Amino acid sequence: MTTQARLIEYLEKEMGLSEDAIALAVRQAGALPNLLPIALWKYGLITTEQLDQLFDWLETPQPGQNFV
């Protein structure tokens, strides 16, 4: 599973964001998927506290993630 797929799963399951909200942010982030958290925040879909939580999650190694 890609990092973006894990991120989307996290947004749905842990943060309770709708598929529509995530799709909007994905469209706004465009070809730069690293901007997805910022797009979510920019459009008011998450709070600054949730943005911090999301950045913490992104910095934490995920199961199956390789650092080679």
Side-chain angles (χ1 to χ4, degrees):
M1 184 181 281
T2 67
T3 300
Q4 184 165 358
R6 283 193 299 268
L7 173 58
I8 290 171
E9 183 178 289
Y10 176 79
L11 292 169
E12 289 175 339
K13 292 183 179 179
E14 300 298 323
M15 293 192 144
L17 293 176
S18 70
E19 289 181 18
D20 290 338
I22 296 168
L24 170 68
V26 167
R27 282 193 304 275
Q28 295 304 316
L32 302 170
N34 293 341
L35 295 181
L36 182 58
I38 300 300
L40 289 165
W41 173 75
K42 178 181 175 183
Y43 288 96
L45 301 170
I46 60 173
T47 65
T48 51
E49 291 81 15
Q50 288 173 310
L51 181 62
D52 286 340
Q53 179 184 352
L54 191 49
F55 284 143
D56 289 343
W57 181 85
L58 286 168
E59 290 177 355
T60 304
Q62 303 301 312
Q65 190 175 15
N66 295 326
F67 291 104
V68 178

